[in-house]
């Protein structure tokens, strides 16, 4: 048999590596090594799984504060997600469905099974190459019978042929001999958060060239998976089923010096896809394409597609390899998680790398992730905003359900836009998202000059959300408007009075709406008439929008020159953090009851500082410093959205040791093996947070929301000698180079 060994160079600036197998960190690496292409995503689980880590355990996951939850499945959780394939859960509402596991490849030699926990393994290494999203594993397996095998695995989810996942394993016999049994299958014994969303699983078909699983979900979708197989040596494959599993089974005698390569290809299609043809036609088409073109050609197209993504997305840091790898990892996940041509879905809070948060969409998309897309792939940013336009009907239902006209965007959204949040305090009170979306749209428009977006789509979102706001406010005895019963970004104070962040966002949104309508009316009478007819808009409504915008209170305390988080903030109880927070490696929320937390001055995350980040011109440097000094010591950073905001503000103030402390925190959130942060999925908002920290914080880019020309005020961390990246700005691309001495902005085309 041919000897064909893979040689890999693991570039430590482009590859995330696991150097020893440890069952305690396995779940973390499964999340961190998630692969995907926008259309589908698979967690980085082992091909053969882990023994004793059942994936079909049924239980009722209760709605909870995800930050403090103790998740099940401590060792391993498979994950196969297709954005938009969601099902109903009795308590969690709509959740993304964890689909059948199609990565399965089991190896058994001389009756001994490869089992990462029990087998004797040497020279283990696993790594994800961020350049092309390929996941590798190499190891030497010493069996009890003295057979030594060198195994090299590689797999990728094609960035070009979005329905294909390719896997290969090379098996080289170093010593001994025995019969190798190989089983490559599709396994539907998977539950999502303990719930079975599969109404029917069909494995029957008459084709002997592939195995097939068709899953009918309780959300009414059909998902078809077809796997084909090829080997470098002649193997007679048979197709077997065991319960709902289906697999190819083949065997071959291997001797010292032999080398065998197995390739498995899986095509995944659903009835939700935007392509023509029946499921089986399409599934077979992709599979045939693989067998016609072969691994190399498909890999080349895939890797070129990744190259074109990196061309405008990469950030290069000289002097800090840890930060270099972290930003590339986070950018990789942002690119992977985004479905840039399907505006029926957005990016869920765990970046389609885990079941937590049920695949729901939050403000994370607009405020944390969108800036990355605006400046690297504006078309993708537009697509994300289109998702909000496409789900306006759901937002209208949310408003109606709460007794209002107009549109209220869901705190947690899914495919319909209807509220999915299972916990009342966020669903009812964390209302800022409705205005955040309008802010984000203007951020996109101001950065790209795509004014047509506002006229064609934005105006409906603006008028409808403004209608909601003018009813959601209360008029006080002095004739000013207030927003009562509000949870701001800080989720540890659920029902406050006039949250500074929320009120400013709403004011912005209403001002923009009134201005826009006035402008259209003056410049385009016909267009205005169309809007009036389409939305049933009345002149009086515009007056009301203007009035509320003008008279909406923005809390401020003249005596202290500190912007209060909410008007009533001072009245909450002070917290003795040292007495309560015994172990700072765990979230503060674990050490205090929710009831006590909700009446205390302990912040989960940046709130006023987030406001200052989004409206930098509203505040003086002194106010910024005052806010940082006041809020930072009482902020627990229990939310992963917090550290990056603090890091940016610290960099703006030139307090570099503090900024660097937050940089470390932001990197550790998903990169730290010790913290195991990626176990339940990627904190994808924090990925956008790191990008912002580097671009807005360290390069000091002034947000395109507030200026036309690129303006930089850099503060580089001590170790960084150079920072380079590319920015899309007003339809052009620019190369930004920052060193300690100077910065340069070069137009690319
Ligand atoms: C944070 C929210 C965030 C959500 C999803 C929560 O823990 O407090 O701000 O939107 O997670 O990431």
């Amino acid at each position: 048999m041919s000897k064909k060994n893979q040689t890999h160079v693991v570039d430590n600036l482009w590859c995330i590596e696991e150097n020893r197998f440890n069952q305690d960190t396995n779940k973390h690496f499964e999340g961190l090594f998630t692969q995907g292409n926008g259309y589908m995503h698979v967690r980085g689980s082992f091909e053969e799984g882990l023994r004793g880590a059942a994936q079909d355990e049924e239980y009722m996951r209760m709605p909870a504060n995800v930050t403090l939850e103790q998740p099940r499945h401590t060792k391993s959780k498979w994950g196969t997600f297709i954005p938009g394939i969601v099902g109903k859960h009795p308590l969690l509402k709509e959740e993304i469905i964890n689909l059948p596991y199609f990565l399965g490849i089991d190896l058994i030699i001389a009756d001994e099974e490869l089992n990462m926990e029990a087998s004797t393994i040497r020279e283990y290494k696993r790594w994800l190459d961020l350049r092309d999203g390929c996941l590798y594993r190499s190891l030497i397996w010493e069996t009890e019978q003295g057979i030594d095998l060198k195994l090299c695995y590689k797999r990728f989810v094609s960035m070009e042929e979005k329905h294909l996942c390719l896997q290969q394993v090379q098996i080289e016999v170093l010593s001994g001999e025995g019969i190798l049994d190989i089983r490559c299958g599709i396994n539907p014994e998977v539950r999502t958060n303990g719930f079975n969303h599969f109404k029917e699983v069909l494995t029957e078909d008459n084709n002997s060239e592939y195995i097939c699983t068709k899953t009918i979900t309780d959300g009414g979708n059909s998902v078809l998976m077809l796997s084909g197989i090829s080997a470098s040596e002649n193997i007679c494959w048979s197709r077997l089923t065991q319960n709902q599993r289906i697999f190819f089974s083949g065997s071959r005698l291997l001797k010292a010096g032999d080398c065998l390569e197995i390739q498995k290809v899986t095509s995944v299609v659903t009835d939700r896809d935007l392509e023509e043809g029946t499921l089986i036609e399409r599934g077979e088409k992709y599979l045939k394409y693989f067998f016609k073109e072969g691994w190399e050609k498909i890999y080349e197209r895939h890797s070129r597609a990744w190259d074109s993504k990196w061309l405008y997305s990469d950030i290069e840091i000289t002097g800090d390899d840890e930060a270099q790898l972290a930003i590339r990892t986070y950018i990789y996940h942002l690119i992977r998680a985004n479905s840039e041509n399907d505006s029926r879905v957005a990016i869920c809070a765990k970046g389609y790398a885990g079941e937590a948060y049920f695949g729901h969409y939050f403000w994370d998309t607009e405020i944390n992730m969108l800036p990355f897309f605006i400046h690297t792939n504006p078309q993708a940013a537009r697509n994300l905003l289109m998702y909000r336009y496409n789900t306006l009907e759901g937002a209208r239902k949310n408003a109606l359900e709460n007794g209002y006209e107009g549109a209220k965007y869901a705190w947690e959204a899914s495919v319909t836009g209807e509220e999915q949040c299972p916990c009342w305090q966020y669903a009812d009170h964390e209302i800022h998202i409705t205005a955040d979306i309008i802010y984000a749209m203007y951020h996109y428009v101001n950065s790209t000059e795509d004014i047509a977006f506002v006229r064609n789509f934005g105006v409906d979102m603006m008028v409808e959300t403004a209608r909601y706001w003018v009813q959601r406010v209360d008029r006080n005895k002095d004739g000013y408007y207030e927003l009562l019963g509000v949870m701001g970004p800080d989720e540890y104070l659920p029902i406050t009075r006039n949250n500074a962040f929320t009120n400013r966002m709403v004011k912005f949104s209403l001002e923009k709406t009134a201005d826009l309508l006035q402008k259209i009316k003056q410049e385009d009478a016909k267009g205005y008439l169309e809007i009036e007819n389409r939305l049933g808009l009345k002149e009086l409504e515009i007056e009301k929008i203007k009035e509320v915008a003008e008279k909406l209170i923005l809390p401020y305390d003249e005596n202290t020159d500190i912007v209060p988080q909410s008007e009533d903030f001072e009245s909450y109880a002070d917290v003795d953090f040292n007495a309560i927070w015994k172990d700072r490696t765990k979230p503060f929320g674990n050490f205090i009851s929710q009831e006590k937390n909700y009446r205390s001055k302990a912040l989960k995350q940046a709130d006023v500082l987030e406001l200052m980040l989004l409206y930098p011109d509203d505040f003086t440097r002194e106010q910024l410093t005052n806010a940082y000094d006041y809020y930072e010591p009482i902020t627990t950073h229990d939310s992963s959205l917090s550290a990056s905001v603090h890091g940016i503000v610290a960099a703006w103030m030139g307090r570099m040791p503090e900024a660097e402390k937050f940089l470390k925190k932001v990197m550790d959130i998903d990169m730290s093996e010790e913290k195991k942060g990626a176990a339940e999925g990627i904190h994808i908002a924090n990925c956008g947070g790191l990008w912002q920290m580097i671009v807005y914080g360290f390069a000091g880019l002034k947000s395109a929301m507030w200026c036309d020309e690129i303006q930089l005020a850099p503060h580089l961390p001590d170790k960084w000698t150079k920072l380079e990246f590319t920015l899309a700005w007003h339809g052009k691309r620019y190369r930004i180079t920052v060193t300690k001495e100077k910065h340069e902005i070069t137009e690319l085309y």
Side-chain angles (χ1 to χ4, degrees), residues 472-704:
R472 180 59 178 78
V473 293
D474 288 292
R475 195 161 187 267
N476 68 18
K477 59 179 177 14
D478 303 321
Y480 287 94
Y481 289 98
E482 311 200 14
L483 277 166
L484 307 176
V486 169
M487 180 191 274
D490 165 27
E491 293 186 335
Y492 282 170
L493 281 183
I495 308 184
T496 67
R497 183 184 189 99
N498 291 316
N499 168 262
F501 176 92
T502 308
N503 286 25
R504 182 66 183 96
M505 278 294 199
V506 174
K507 200 180 189 63
F508 172 89
S509 180
L510 294 179
E511 277 168 0
K512 284 286 182 195
T513 310
D515 289 352
L516 177 74
L517 292 173
Q518 207 144 335
K519 194 161 183 285
I520 302 177
K521 196 172 174 189
Q522 278 163 7
E523 294 172 2
D524 177 9
K526 194 164 156 265
Y528 189 75
L529 198 65
E530 271 168 25
I531 294 169
E532 274 187 324
N533 292 337
R534 187 169 70 243
L535 301 173
L537 186 67
K538 310 256 172 8
E539 189 58 37
L540 268 180
E541 283 189 88
I542 307 177
E543 290 312 311
K544 183 77 184 175
I545 292 171
K546 257 198 242 162
E547 189 201 331
V548 176
E550 266 166 36
K551 295 195 174 157
L552 185 63
I553 286 176
L554 294 181
Y556 185 64
D557 184 347
E558 279 170 17
N559 299 327
T560 59
D561 207 14
I562 290 173
V563 175
Q565 181 170 307
S566 55
E567 247 181 13
D568 52 359
F569 188 74
E570 221 7 73
S571 63
Y572 291 94
D574 287 324
V575 178
D576 183 349
F577 284 97
N578 288 336
I580 297 176
W581 202 355
K582 297 281 184 220
D583 175 0
R584 297 231 172 189
T585 62
K586 299 203 172 76
F588 170 77
N590 283 321
F591 299 89
I592 187 168
S593 69
Q594 178 167 289
E595 171 275 315
K596 189 167 183 195
N597 202 0
Y598 278 5
R599 59 182 163 81
S600 304
K601 275 194 215 117
L603 277 61
K604 183 177 180 190
Q605 63 206 98
D607 194 306
V608 169
L609 293 188
E610 182 80 64
L611 163 72
M612 293 182 165
L613 173 62
L614 299 184
Y615 297 89
D617 293 343
D618 282 16
F619 305 96
T620 63
R621 179 47 59 104
E622 202 185 346
Q623 285 171 330
L624 185 80
T625 313
N626 288 350
Y628 182 92
D629 288 340
Y630 177 65
Y631 290 109
E632 202 290 317
I634 55 172
T635 302
T636 63
H637 307 292
D638 278 3
S639 160
S640 64
L641 278 66
S642 192
S644 58
V645 178
H646 283 77
I648 295 170
V649 173
W652 284 358
M653 296 186 304
R655 293 197 194 165
M656 295 318 287
E658 281 167 73
E660 288 179 35
K661 185 188 86 188
F662 283 113
L663 171 65
K664 178 80 181 125
K665 207 171 167 66
V666 167
M667 296 194 297
D668 279 355
I669 285 178
D670 280 323
M671 299 294 285
S672 158
E673 195 170 330
E674 196 191 328
K675 293 194 188 328
K676 301 182 270 192
E680 298 297 312
I682 296 294
H683 296 82
I684 196 89
N686 178 61
C687 296
L690 180 57
W691 185 91
Q692 294 195 36
M693 214 176 149
I694 294 172
V695 172
Y696 295 137
F698 299 143
L701 177 77
K702 179 152 188 191
S703 164

Side-chain angles (χ1 to χ4, degrees), residues 87-124:
K88 297 272 176 227
H89 184 284
L91 294 178
L92 306 174
K93 301 198 170 180
E94 212 163 76
E95 66 169 339
I96 191 149
I97 299 178
N98 196 344
L99 293 165
Y101 187 71
F102 62 75
L103 296 171
I105 302 177
D106 293 335
L107 300 180
I108 303 133
I109 191 151
D111 292 330
E112 191 180 327
E113 215 173 335
L114 174 67
N115 172 350
M116 288 302 301
E117 285 172 289
S119 303
T120 306
I121 305 287
R122 281 196 289 124
E123 297 180 27
Y124 171 85

Side-chain angles (χ1 to χ4, degrees), residues 5-29:
N5 225 331
Q6 293 171 334
T7 44
H8 305 292
V9 182
V10 182
D11 180 337
N12 67 356
L13 298 180
W14 278 105
C15 297
I16 30 178
E17 242 187 298
E18 183 197 36
N19 281 317
R20 81 192 161 103
F21 168 72
N22 176 353
Q23 71 167 59
D24 282 348
T25 50
N26 181 58
K27 202 173 165 190
H28 162 71
F29 280 106

Side-chain angles (χ1 to χ4, degrees), residues 334-440:
L334 283 163
I335 294 173
R336 167 193 68 70
N338 181 42
S339 176
E340 68 185 32
N341 298 315
D342 185 353
S343 56
R344 299 168 304 166
V345 293
I347 304 176
C348 71
K350 289 292 181 187
Y352 302 109
E355 294 176 349
Y357 284 124
F358 329 118
H360 293 167
Y361 312 132
F362 294 70
W363 71 315
D364 306 29
T365 318
E366 282 75 19
I367 300 301
N368 287 66
M369 298 177 234
L370 199 75
F372 163 77
F373 291 105
I374 286 176
H375 291 297
T376 60
N377 184 352
Q379 187 56 32
R382 184 181 193 279
N383 191 66
L384 285 168
L385 292 163
M386 278 306 288
Y387 160 77
R388 294 299 188 180
Y389 173 75
N390 290 336
T391 52
L392 184 57
E393 205 40 51
R396 287 191 176 110
K397 285 194 187 149
N398 298 333
L400 202 64
E401 220 159 77
N402 283 268
Y404 302 109
E405 287 166 16
K408 172 188 188 293
Y409 278 101
W411 174 243
E412 295 184 23
S414 181
V415 287
T416 59
E418 287 169 41
E419 184 60 75
Q420 300 299 327
C421 181
C423 302
W424 64 271
Q425 57 275 56
Y426 315 101
D428 291 354
H429 300 282
E430 198 160 1
I431 52 178
H432 59 83
I433 185 161
T434 296
D436 302 344
I437 289 167
I438 306 304
Y439 176 98

Side-chain angles (χ1 to χ4, degrees), residues 93-373:
K93 301 198 170 180
E94 212 163 76
E95 66 169 339
I96 191 149
I97 299 178
N98 196 344
L99 293 165
Y101 187 71
F102 62 75
L103 296 171
I105 302 177
D106 293 335
L107 300 180
I108 303 133
I109 191 151
D111 292 330
E112 191 180 327
E113 215 173 335
L114 174 67
N115 172 350
M116 288 302 301
E117 285 172 289
S119 303
T120 306
I121 305 287
R122 281 196 289 124
E123 297 180 27
Y124 171 85
K125 192 189 284 204
R126 199 152 65 121
W127 69 101
L128 176 71
D129 194 325
L130 303 163
R131 282 169 292 207
D132 58 8
C134 284
L135 181 62
Y136 298 87
R137 172 166 54 138
S138 73
L139 56 100
I140 292 174
W141 173 25
E142 290 176 5
T143 71
E144 281 179 10
Q145 307 198 16
I147 311 167
D148 289 1
L149 300 178
K150 180 166 170 56
L151 305 179
C152 295
Y153 294 80
K154 176 176 180 177
R155 69 187 196 220
F156 64 93
V157 177
S158 171
M159 195 44 119
E160 186 67 34
E161 274 77 40
K162 304 269 183 189
H163 298 273
L164 285 182
C165 175
L166 272 58
Q167 295 171 260
Q168 104 186 351
V169 50
Q170 292 179 353
I171 303 147
E172 188 189 339
V173 187
L174 303 179
S175 64
E177 71 171 68
I179 294 186
L180 177 74
D181 292 313
I182 308 143
R183 282 191 202 145
C184 300
I186 304 174
N187 186 348
E189 287 161 15
V190 180
R191 302 291 173 260
T192 317
N193 289 313
F195 195 77
N196 184 0
H197 287 288
F198 304 153
K199 278 181 87 175
E200 230 180 319
V201 179
L202 306 166
T203 48
E204 290 306 310
D205 69 83
N206 300 317
N207 190 301
S208 56
E209 284 167 16
Y210 53 77
I211 51 171
C212 165
T213 297
K214 183 174 176 184
T215 312
I216 318 282
T217 71
D218 61 357
N221 289 110
S222 302
V223 180
L224 188 78
M225 295 174 173
L226 301 181
S227 291
I229 199 152
S230 79
S232 60
E233 306 299 328
N234 197 19
I235 293 183
C236 176
W237 297 103
S238 50
R239 294 180 330 142
L240 301 175
T241 51
Q242 197 179 64
N243 302 325
Q244 290 186 320
R245 297 185 202 187
I246 183 160
F247 49 91
F248 282 111
S249 172
S251 48
R252 187 169 176 102
L253 174 70
L254 293 183
K255 297 191 176 128
D258 283 352
C259 198
L260 172 68
E261 181 178 295
I262 312 286
Q263 291 182 353
K264 177 181 180 188
V265 56
T266 304
S267 79
V268 181
V269 292
T270 79
D271 62 353
R272 226 183 157 261
D273 301 342
L274 295 164
E275 293 131 41
E276 302 272 303
T278 64
L279 288 187
I280 196 76
E281 276 165 14
R282 289 190 288 119
E284 282 185 350
K285 183 178 84 187
Y286 297 119
L287 220 55
K288 282 184 186 147
Y289 180 74
F290 168 78
F291 285 110
K292 182 168 158 269
E293 298 289 308
W295 178 287
E296 283 308 324
K297 274 205 181 140
I298 294 192
Y299 170 74
E300 263 167 44
R301 285 162 59 84
H302 157 81
S303 108
R304 271 206 302 274
W306 264 109
D307 286 348
S308 69
K309 299 266 177 260
W310 280 112
L311 182 63
Y312 296 127
S313 310
D314 192 23
I315 290 185
E316 289 175 69
I317 299 167
T318 313
D320 185 348
D321 293 355
E322 187 189 358
Q324 176 66 84
L325 187 61
I327 186 61
R328 285 187 171 144
T329 306
Y330 287 7
I331 290 175
Y332 160 85
H333 282 295
L334 283 163
I335 294 173
R336 167 193 68 70
N338 181 42
S339 176
E340 68 185 32
N341 298 315
D342 185 353
S343 56
R344 299 168 304 166
V345 293
I347 304 176
C348 71
K350 289 292 181 187
Y352 302 109
E355 294 176 349
Y357 284 124
F358 329 118
H360 293 167
Y361 312 132
F362 294 70
W363 71 315
D364 306 29
T365 318
E366 282 75 19
I367 300 301
N368 287 66
M369 298 177 234
L370 199 75
F372 163 77
F373 291 105

